[in-house]
């Protein structure tokens, strides 16, 4: 009896049944925000408790208070030849340069590869070949060729951001519905008009997806590269701190990277919302 | 005047047996007429339309529009597709104005003409909406307005109402009849519905598959009454309508061998 009563009360109301799409949408986006926030709060609380009751040695798990102190200390006095801002800017500068190369070379080349058999034939083999390699495997080669300075790092990062953007642009061109092209041609579009008004906007969702992948690939390659050969940057700061078992500074570095990654993701979501509100709708 | 002479389209098939999608079809579409091609799927009616639009090269034969041979897609032939092909990033008005923009018509003029056409198809209030907020029937109306905007010599319609529910479909047929009556455009209309063919066509050509051929043609005049009175019930219960519908139905459903024997 109680079971039956319970299941009846849990039925959706008539109003909710009438608008299943809105209900689903709300379930998918807005309502997770509170849950995620609670999860984050629980994790931080757990960290507090673990430090408070000495579940782990401060050497392995510094207390949140220590980390917070270190944030201001590293920000003001610096660590490993630079303040927190210096290291963050050094890392951001590298990733911005690499994304710039990825966007300004990858998008045009990818579009051309999608449009032209010859361009695709020529470039797809070398890109496929190097894209299969782990970036850290060929970093030593880049250092031998280009030295230990900025150039080798930016080239490494550019290689890791370029391929996903290039592939995405190419896939974007090929995803344009044939009828959309035929419709434009029968409206009298020239080749240039067809490209600018149909192919480029149709490829935009794919390109933005590629950009998201490129940012992820760039961030992971960036930190790895800075761990191996650098005199600045967040990866370098983490590595230096680890060498002196300054776990709290390692945490500072990790938190900054996490915040950066979150900011990039949110930025991309905002960009998608602004540029392609029609995605998946037609 | 659109003139189709001995048009054939052959596709190579994987089993080596070529598919004759269109086999020596000849047809004229004079000004101020609606030619409706009707037939079962695979009878080559869409191939015919795609060839006229220039999306598909002919293997043999010629198609000329006002004496000029058709070799590629062009703005002199407006196409309305079965699936709407509106641009989701542009609002309804910009979608209708697209062809005019390609032609370099100034912003003010192309919006003025597009608004006028939106009025013609009854969507004046939806100019600023994105296409994905419109229903299927409304989107097809935008598609018709877009095809008309550049004032093409002929309108090619490939089962444009095929995906719509029957009530919306009747509204759209009524709309098309009145647009045709007002603009006098020559129209080629593809459908698999015999009722639709008879309601809208001034000429109905019946096509048969494998190879795609015209097996019969009929002249009809129901569309003029339809455009004036707008009562689909009266038209479709007319004795002549019922008679023609029966005749076309038996042509389409005839076994292939028998049809070839009697009509070739």
């Amino acid at each position: 009896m109680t079971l039956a009563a319970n299941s009846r009360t849990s039925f959706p109301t008539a109003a909710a049944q009438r608008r299943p799409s809105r209900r689903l949408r709300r379930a998918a986006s807005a309502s997770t925000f509170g849950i995620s926030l609670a999860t984050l709060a629980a994790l931080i609380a757990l960290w507090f408790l673990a430090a408070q009751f000495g579940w782990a040695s401060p050497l392995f798990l510094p207390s949140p208070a220590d980390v917070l102190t270190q944030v201001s200390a590293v920000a003001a006095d610096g660590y490993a030849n630079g303040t927190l801002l210096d290291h963050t800017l050094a890392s951001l500068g590298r990733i911005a340069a690499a994304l710039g190369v990825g966007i300004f070379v990858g998008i045009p080349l990818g579009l051309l590869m999608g449009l032209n058999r010859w361009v695709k034939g020529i470039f797809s083999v070398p890109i496929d070949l190097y894209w299969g390699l782990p970036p850290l495997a060929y970093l030593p080669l880049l250092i031998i060729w280009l030295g230990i300075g900025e150039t080798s790092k930016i080239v490494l990062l550019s290689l890791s951001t370029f391929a996903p953007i290039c592939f995405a642009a190419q896939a974007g061109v090929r995803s344009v519905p044939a009828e959309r092209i035929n419709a434009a041609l029968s409206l009298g579009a020239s080749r240039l008009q067809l490209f600018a008004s149909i192919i480029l906007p149709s490829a935009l969702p794919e390109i933005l997806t590629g950009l998201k992948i490129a940012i992820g690939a760039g961030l992971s390659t960036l930190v790895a590269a800075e761990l191996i050969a650098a005199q600045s940057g967040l990866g370098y700061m983490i590595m230096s701190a680890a060498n002196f078992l300054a776990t709290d500074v390692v945490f500072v570095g990790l938190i900054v990277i996490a915040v950066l990654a979150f900011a990039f993701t949110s930025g991309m979501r905002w960009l998608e919302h602004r540029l392609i509100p029609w995605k998946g709708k037609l | 005047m659109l003139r189709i002479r001995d048009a054939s389209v052959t596709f190579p098939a994987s089993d080596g047996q070529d598919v004759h999608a269109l086999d020596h079809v000849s047809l004229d579409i004079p000004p101020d007429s609606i030619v409706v091609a009707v037939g079962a799927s695979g009878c080559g009616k869409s191939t015919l339309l795609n060839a006229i639009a220039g999306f598909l090269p002919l293997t043999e034969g010629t198609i000329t529009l006002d004496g000029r041979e058709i070799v590629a897609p062009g703005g002199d032939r407006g196409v309305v597709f079965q699936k709407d092909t509106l641009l989701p990033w542009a609002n309804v008005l910009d979608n209708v104005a697209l062809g005019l923009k390609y032609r370099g018509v100034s912003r003010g003029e192309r919006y003025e003409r597009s608004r006028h056409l939106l009025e013609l198809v009854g969507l004046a209030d939806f100019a600023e909406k994105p296409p994905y907020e419109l229903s299927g029937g409304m989107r097809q109306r935008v598609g018709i307005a877009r095809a008309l905007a550049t004032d093409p010599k002929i309108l090619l319609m490939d089962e444009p109402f095929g995906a719509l529910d029957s009530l919306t479909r009747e509204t759209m047929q009524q709309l098309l009849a009145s647009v045709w009556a007002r603009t006098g455009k020559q129209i080629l209309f593809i459908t698999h519905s015999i009722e639709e063919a008879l309601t809208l066509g001034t000429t109905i050509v019946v096509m048969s598959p494998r190879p795609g051929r015209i097996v019969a043609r009929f002249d009809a005049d129901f569309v003029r009454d339809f455009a004036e009175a707008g009562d689909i019930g009266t038209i479709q219960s007319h004795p002549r309508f019922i008679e023609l519908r029966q005749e076309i139905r038996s042509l389409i459903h005839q076994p292939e061998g028998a049809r070839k024997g009697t009509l070739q």
Side-chain angles (χ1 to χ4, degrees):
Chain A
M1 274 311 283
T2 43
L3 199 80
N6 277 342
S7 64
R8 201 176 306 139
T9 49
S10 68
F11 276 172
T13 64
Q17 266 177 328
R18 236 177 287 126
R19 305 298 304 265
S21 64
R22 179 171 294 180
R23 201 164 161 259
L24 275 175
R25 229 180 301 147
R26 202 168 44 210
S29 61
S31 66
T32 59
F33 181 74
I35 302 171
S36 307
L37 208 66
T39 311
L40 190 67
L43 281 174
I44 292 172
L46 196 68
W47 181 18
F48 256 109
L49 289 174
Q52 191 72 38
F53 295 107
W55 295 346
S57 151
L59 187 63
F60 297 121
L61 189 72
S63 74
D66 287 349
V67 173
L68 219 60
T69 321
Q70 275 301 341
V71 170
S72 54
V74 177
D77 310 331
Y79 191 90
N81 320 326
T83 64
L84 189 57
L85 190 67
D86 293 338
H87 289 304
T88 309
L89 287 179
S91 290
L92 276 179
R94 285 171 193 145
I95 206 150
L99 279 176
V101 173
I103 289 167
F104 288 107
V105 183
I107 292 178
L109 188 65
L111 292 173
L112 277 173
M113 285 171 76
L115 292 169
N116 186 290
R117 190 170 64 92
W118 276 91
V119 182
K120 181 177 158 60
I122 291 168
F123 286 98
S124 65
V125 171
I127 296 174
D128 278 338
L129 275 181
Y130 96 77
W131 176 238
L133 297 171
L136 289 188
Y138 55 80
L139 175 59
L141 189 63
L142 291 179
I143 291 175
I144 294 170
W145 285 348
L146 303 167
I148 198 130
E150 284 301 298
T151 321
S152 58
K153 275 185 274 299
I154 287 171
V155 169
L156 179 82
L157 289 177
S158 301
L159 285 171
S160 70
T161 56
F162 162 81
I165 293 175
C166 180
F167 286 142
Q170 198 185 331
V173 172
R174 274 177 298 164
S175 73
V176 186
E179 287 127 347
R180 201 177 271 172
I181 291 176
N182 278 343
L185 287 175
S186 65
L187 287 169
S190 68
R191 289 180 73 88
L192 194 68
Q193 286 169 332
L194 184 70
F195 177 78
S197 70
I198 306 291
I199 293 175
L200 199 58
S202 296
L204 196 57
E206 296 267 4
I207 292 175
L208 286 181
T209 305
L211 196 57
K212 270 196 280 191
I213 297 171
I215 289 172
L219 263 181
S220 53
T221 314
L222 166 80
V223 176
E226 288 175 348
L227 288 175
I228 290 176
Q231 280 82 45
S232 65
L234 292 165
Y236 168 70
M237 189 186 90
I238 291 173
M239 202 58 188
S240 313
N243 286 338
F244 295 101
L245 286 178
T247 324
D248 43 5
V249 179
V250 174
F251 267 70
V252 172
L254 289 177
I255 289 170
V256 173
I257 292 170
V259 168
L260 285 183
F262 182 77
F264 273 126
T265 311
S266 310
M268 284 306 297
R269 215 172 281 159
W270 178 82
L271 207 60
E272 277 195 332
H273 190 74
R274 284 301 306 274
L275 291 179
I276 44 170
W278 43 272
K279 189 184 181 185
K281 283 181 176 152
L282 206 70
Chain B
M1 170 88 134
L2 186 94
R3 219 181 269 275
I4 303 163
R5 285 291 171 272
D6 276 326
S8 296
V9 174
T10 311
F11 296 114
S14 50
D15 58 359
Q17 284 274 327
D18 287 353
V19 178
H20 296 276
L22 214 57
D23 189 37
H24 294 95
V25 166
S26 294
L27 180 69
D28 284 347
I29 303 180
D32 202 27
S33 69
I34 303 184
V35 174
V36 183
V38 63
S41 29
C43 71
K45 53 194 195 295
S46 286
T47 307
L48 178 68
L49 182 135
N50 284 335
I52 299 171
F55 303 151
L56 200 70
L58 288 179
T59 318
E60 268 179 72
T62 54
I63 303 176
T64 54
L65 181 58
D66 293 344
R68 283 175 54 188
E69 188 167 351
I70 285 166
V71 286
D76 51 352
R77 286 146 287 150
V79 184
V80 181
F81 296 81
Q82 175 168 21
K83 211 178 122 237
D84 78 80
T85 52
L86 304 176
L87 307 180
W89 52 83
N91 66 21
V92 165
L93 187 66
D94 280 318
N95 265 292
V96 175
L98 189 63
L100 296 171
K101 193 179 175 185
Y102 287 152
R103 264 161 221 217
V105 176
S106 75
R107 196 185 170 86
E109 198 187 331
R110 64 176 189 255
Y111 282 172
E112 196 193 314
R113 275 166 73 176
S114 302
R115 278 186 197 282
H116 174 73
L117 281 162
L118 280 175
E119 239 163 73
L120 187 74
V121 298
L123 287 176
D125 295 339
F126 294 86
E128 321 296 336
K129 293 247 188 243
Y132 50 80
E133 286 182 11
L134 268 55
S135 70
M138 287 163 131
R139 276 189 252 171
Q140 251 349 359
R141 282 192 262 170
V142 179
I144 293 171
R146 181 179 71 174
L148 286 170
T150 50
D151 198 22
K153 289 175 182 162
I154 183 167
L155 207 54
L156 307 170
M157 308 183 79
D158 188 4
E159 297 193 40
F161 312 146
L164 305 177
D165 66 85
S166 58
L167 289 176
T168 311
R169 201 174 169 140
E170 275 178 26
T171 318
M172 296 294 291
Q173 289 166 350
Q174 167 70 50
L175 176 86
L176 183 68
S178 69
V179 166
W180 171 75
R182 264 185 275 175
T183 61
K185 281 262 175 296
Q186 44 189 326
I187 296 175
L188 174 71
F189 193 100
I190 305 290
T191 181
H192 56 253
S193 156
I194 299 166
E195 285 82 8
E196 187 165 72
L198 282 168
T199 309
L200 293 177
T202 55
T203 301
I204 295 112
V205 295
V206 183
M207 295 185 71
S208 79
R210 285 176 298 275
R213 279 184 187 149
I214 294 175
V215 291
R217 53 177 298 160
F218 301 90
D219 290 325
D221 217 8
F222 302 108
V223 65
R224 288 177 212 280
D225 292 343
F226 187 39
E228 272 168 40
D231 184 11
I232 204 159
T234 319
I235 290 163
Q236 297 199 342
S237 56
H238 193 283
R240 177 77 184 136
F241 188 99
I242 294 167
E243 190 187 318
L244 279 171
R245 182 174 62 191
Q246 204 48 48
E247 205 173 332
I248 293 171
R249 178 162 293 149
S250 62
L251 274 169
I252 289 174
H253 290 302
Q254 229 168 43
E256 245 163 83
R259 185 172 49 217
K260 271 179 194 154
T262 52
L263 283 153
Q264 293 307 306

